[in-house]
Amino acid sequence: MEDIDELILELDNIQRSGIIHITQIDKSYVVGVTRGRREYKENRAKGSLRLAVWDEKDALRDVADRIEYALSSDDFAEEKIDILRGRVEKTIDRCVQIGYQNIGLRFIALLGQGKLASKRVSQEKLDEKVKDYLLKTVRGYAVRSIVSGREFTDETKVYKNRVIEKIILPAQQGKFGKSASKIPLKEFVENFNKTSIPVRNLNKKENKSVRIFPLDQIFSNDLKKVKPKEKMI
């Protein structure tokens, strides 16, 4: 049996990497556009920074595993659930902010599965938060596609695939709760495709910027594994 106070303390004490966004440790990042072509710069992030990120992510995965096990096997007092839920939401906020999308989804699933609701915060309210977090995570993947998405020879770098495989399909299968399974497919797709960031237009002398969108837009043909009735977007 896990000690819930210990889990709460561990979430509080996980050593943060200090990064502002995960793109700080990507191999390259977009710096502008020249005649419609994206220009990238090699990222010379220090190895120690990458190690700090990996350490934080490993620690978060471990605690997520243990919380999931504890909630599935034990019942806890509501006041403890309220405290744990607050820490879980705080963790999700950090994951969304700095781009730990895959780990953030582990904690989002905890909110949607019914064990963190209480008299203070109903499951209906948590379902609203789950939807908001899922759509923010979709946009987070879109930003990764925009900033560091040129290496599409590697399937793991195709961020639209991550949205489909790690968010859309699991949501429809109930991983994030019954309410999340009813989120319209269009909302996921539009939140990915319509995310943009401003960059410099490098082939013009004017100090202007242009907005660029994900290179790997999601189209109907990409959704073959999704429920047949929802394939069209």
Side-chain angles (χ1 to χ4, degrees), residues 111-118 121-128:
L111 285 187
Q113 290 169 2
K115 287 284 191 172
L116 288 176
S118 68
V121 178
S122 68
Q123 187 58 44
E124 183 179 7
K125 291 292 185 184
L126 291 183
D127 289 341
E128 293 174 4

Side-chain angles (χ1 to χ4, degrees), residues 2 7 10-11 14 22 25 50-69 91 95 99-107 110 141 162 166:
E2 286 279 5
L7 291 172
E10 286 197 35
L11 272 180
I14 288 175
I22 192 67
I25 65 167
R50 295 190 183 202
L51 290 175
V53 167
W54 294 337
D55 286 346
E56 182 182 10
K57 290 170 74 173
D58 284 344
L60 286 170
R61 286 192 197 96
D62 177 65
V63 177
D65 285 340
R66 291 165 58 197
I67 292 175
E68 184 176 12
Y69 175 77
T91 300
C95 289
Y100 291 168
Q101 284 92 6
N102 197 32
I103 296 171
L105 290 170
R106 296 285 308 279
F107 287 94
L110 294 175
Y141 275 129
R162 299 191 191 184
K166 296 181 180 294

